[in-house]
Each structure stands twice: as C-alpha cells, then as structure tokens.
Amino acid sequence: QVQLVESGGGVVQPGRSLRLSCAASGFTFSSHGMHWVRQAPGKGPEWVAVISHDGTKKYYADSVKGRLTISRDNSKNTLYLQMSSLGTEDTAVYYCAKDRRVEASNLDYWGQGIQVTVSS
Amino acid sequence: AIQLTQSPSSLSASVGDRVTITCRASQGFNNALAWYQQKLGKAPKLLIYDAFNLESGVPSRFSGSGSGTDFTLTISSLQPDDFATYYCHQFYSFPITFGQGTRLEIK
C-alpha cells in the first residue's frame, strides 16, 4: 500500500534552515507529481510547492518563493523540502502528498505530517 | 490567484440528513477541483477528484458536481463518521489553493 513518511521536522530559530524528507513506497514514485502542503494550528491546508514526476517542473506558493525549494530523488523514492530564512509564519504541520498524475492535480495520498516550529 | 470560498463555514446536522457544501471560485475553470475530508489531528483524505469522480473506497453517499465557478459536495445521508471538516482544492492554475473549510458538526 502507499506510504509517505515525513522526517526532519523540529524546532528551529528564526532565520535558520531545515530540510524535510518524505520517503515514499507502495507506488511508482517516478510516475507521479509530489507536493508539500502545510497547515498552521487551527487553519486550513496551505499548498506550498509541487514538483513534476521527473523533477523538471517546480511551482511554489508566493509566500515561500525564494526561501523553500522542493526536489526529489527518484532513485531513492524520496521527496525533499529545503527550507531557509525561516520565519515564525512557517510554523505548521508539513505534509507530503502524492498527486494522481505526473504534475499537479488531485492529492490522493498524504503522509502523517511533521511539525515544524520556528521560535527563538 | 483563484480564491475558493466555501459555504457555509460551519454546519450542524443530524445523522441521516442530506448536506450540501458549496465551493465558489473567484474565476471559472473546468473540473480541476477536488474535495477532502479532514478529522482532528489527521491528514486530509481525498473524497472526490476532478470535481465529480468518487475516490476508490469512499462511500457512495458522497458526490460532487459543478463547473465554472460553483462546485458542490453532497452527502446524501449523514453517518456518524462524516462529522469532520471539508475542504475544496483547485489545481486549475498556480498557485494551487484550498477553500477555508466547512466544519460539519453533530446537531
């Protein structure tokens, strides 16, 4: 069955960096777009970024452009989110999610989420 | 960015009720819309894809419809497990956006 397992979260000071990983299994990773979606406490989901199945296309929310970078390693079935210049507004649960298609469409599987807290 | 406005924001209903949630888009598009259910402390779960297709394993009491600027999620007969928060999501254009959510509570 499809499994998505996030790791790398934690507490980080403002201005610092963090890298999240998402280990995927149970499907052909290289055939699907992958997303990061975050959710701040008490808020709805906020889409962060998507990467196409082959890694050639990447799109970002305006709120993270230039600070967060999505990437993937299809040989390792792993998705990444490199986060830099973090601010308190980045505090949220971060989910990786599998797309039904090769780029951006419906999100049919989600990880359990990982907490990122930006605080001094 | 396409803004999605869900109505109502919250709803109290009883087991067996028929419930409709609306998602209105700030500009029209085709069927590039999905619906998710989220329970407290859990990840969202896909219910409806491409506006009207029922995701595998989702009970048939859930249905989706609409196009253009108005989309709806209907639950034909509420069950106890359905009390949760529901979100619409458009992927027609970037940035991808979600609605603000509809909290469905037990009356």
Side-chain angles (χ1 to χ4, degrees):
Chain A
Q1 71 280 22
V2 172
Q3 281 200 312
L4 300 168
V5 180
E6 301 97 339
S7 61
V11 180
V12 61
Q13 292 180 328
R16 303 298 291 265
S17 298
L18 202 62
R19 188 176 85 155
L20 303 183
S21 299
C22 172
S25 61
F27 66 103
T28 305
F29 184 70
S30 59
S31 296
H32 292 271
M34 294 294 296
H35 300 248
W36 288 100
V37 178
R38 68 186 181 183
Q39 191 165 24
K43 303 291 188 181
E46 179 191 14
W47 174 77
V48 172
V50 61
I51 186 167
S52 62
H53 67 110
D54 57 3
T56 59
K57 298 180 184 178
K58 304 175 186 181
Y59 300 93
Y60 297 91
D62 289 344
S63 59
V64 308
K65 210 171 289 186
R67 300 187 302 114
L68 275 57
T69 302
I70 191 170
S71 62
R72 65 191 297 160
D73 185 337
N74 285 348
S75 68
K76 296 181 178 179
N77 289 352
T78 303
L79 176 73
Y80 302 101
L81 185 68
Q82 180 67 46
M83 310 167 71
S84 61
S85 302
L86 284 164
T88 55
E89 70 276 11
D90 297 311
T91 294
V93 173
Y94 284 73
Y95 296 100
C96 67
K98 169 186 168 288
D99 200 287
R100 286 182 67 93
R101 302 190 176 107
V102 296
E103 291 188 13
S105 73
N106 316 268
L107 307 183
D108 59 355
Y109 288 93
W110 298 59
Q112 83 285 356
I114 190 121
Q115 179 70 47
V116 172
T117 301
V118 184
S119 173
S120 54
Chain B
I2 296 177
Q3 292 187 341
L4 299 177
T5 303
Q6 291 181 228
S7 59
S9 295
S10 63
L11 173 61
S12 293
S14 301
V15 172
D17 283 355
R18 179 183 180 88
V19 166
T20 297
I21 298 170
T22 297
C23 178
R24 177 159 289 173
S26 58
Q27 62 185 81
F29 53 88
N30 50 13
N31 63 333
L33 186 116
W35 288 94
Y36 301 87
Q37 176 193 69
Q38 187 176 31
K39 296 184 178 180
L40 200 63
K42 300 292 188 181
K45 172 188 173 184
L46 179 65
L47 300 175
I48 302 291
Y49 67 94
D50 295 344
F52 52 81
N53 294 295
L54 190 67
E55 175 69 352
S56 175
V58 174
S60 59
R61 61 181 180 273
F62 290 92
S63 63
S65 64
S67 65
T69 58
D70 293 316
F71 299 85
T72 59
L73 172 70
T74 299
I75 309 172
S76 61
S77 178
L78 273 174
Q79 298 302 301
D81 190 50
D82 300 339
F83 293 94
T85 302
Y86 294 84
Y87 296 97
C88 57
H89 152 232
Q90 71 80 22
F91 47 90
Y92 177 75
S93 68
F94 294 108
I96 289 169
T97 48
F98 287 85
Q100 85 281 9
T102 295
R103 177 178 287 185
L104 182 50
E105 299 172 327
I106 301 174
K107 184 182 286 185

